[in-house]
Amino acid sequence: MSTPPSLQIREANAHLVAVHRRAAELEARLDAAERTVRAQAERLASHDQQLRAALDELGSTKDREIAALQEQLVTSEATVHNLQAALHQRDKLIRQLQPRAELLQDICRRRPPLAGLLAALAEAERLGPLPASEPGYPLSGGPSLLLANSTGEEGDRDNLQPAVFGTTV
């Protein structure tokens, strides 16, 4: 075996050094890449954990809101039921009071003539009874004056009652 020339040995050594250098460089880049991947994986895991926590919080908030809305719905339905019952009672009361309201309206329509009649009766009462002893009065000494309702018929005069003026209303 012959020994290789020293130039070849130097070139082979230089080549081996370059290969080792390249291998070390690649290993350093691999380590850096692995560190980057690990850091990214940790960030992703942390971000995933944060998103899961936010999602859980949103789910809890949604459940609380649904429960509150269901409670509000039950309360609103109870309020509607109570209002419907009150409306039914009010309508029943209106139906009961309607005939009385119509009667009061009828009374109010008849009030002006009734007021006139009461004023006339008050005036008659103010005038007082007829003097029985006044000379020249055609009924003096005779029976008292009888008043009757005028119906257009001249029925029995025996059923007539003497009129007495006084405040009866």
Side-chain angles (χ1 to χ4, degrees), residues 8-125:
Q8 273 184 341
I9 292 176
R10 270 189 254 141
E11 284 179 359
N13 283 341
H15 180 69
L16 282 175
V17 169
V19 168
H20 282 295
R21 205 178 303 136
R22 179 74 178 149
E25 182 183 305
L26 289 174
E27 284 178 359
R29 285 179 60 190
L30 178 65
D31 286 341
E34 286 175 348
R35 282 192 304 270
T36 301
V37 167
R38 266 189 251 114
Q40 286 177 347
E42 288 173 3
R43 281 194 304 265
L44 285 175
S46 173
H47 191 261
D48 186 50
Q49 188 178 12
Q50 289 172 351
L51 289 177
R52 286 182 192 272
L55 187 61
D56 290 344
E57 180 62 30
L58 283 174
S60 298
T61 302
K62 175 196 64 124
D63 292 341
R64 284 192 302 271
E65 286 179 8
I66 287 173
L69 289 173
Q70 286 175 336
E71 185 177 320
Q72 187 178 8
L73 178 64
V74 168
T75 303
S76 296
E77 286 175 345
T79 301
V80 166
H81 179 71
N82 290 339
L83 289 174
Q84 285 175 336
L87 181 64
H88 177 72
Q89 288 296 327
R90 186 201 62 163
D91 289 344
K92 183 178 175 183
L93 182 62
I94 286 173
R95 284 191 302 273
Q96 290 174 348
L97 293 177
Q98 190 66 37
R100 292 179 182 172
E102 291 169 1
L103 179 63
L104 284 174
Q105 286 176 342
D106 189 40
I107 290 170
C108 288
R109 278 191 299 272
R110 295 178 186 196
R111 185 172 174 239
L114 182 60
L117 176 63
L118 289 175
L121 287 173
E123 179 66 19
E125 189 174 270

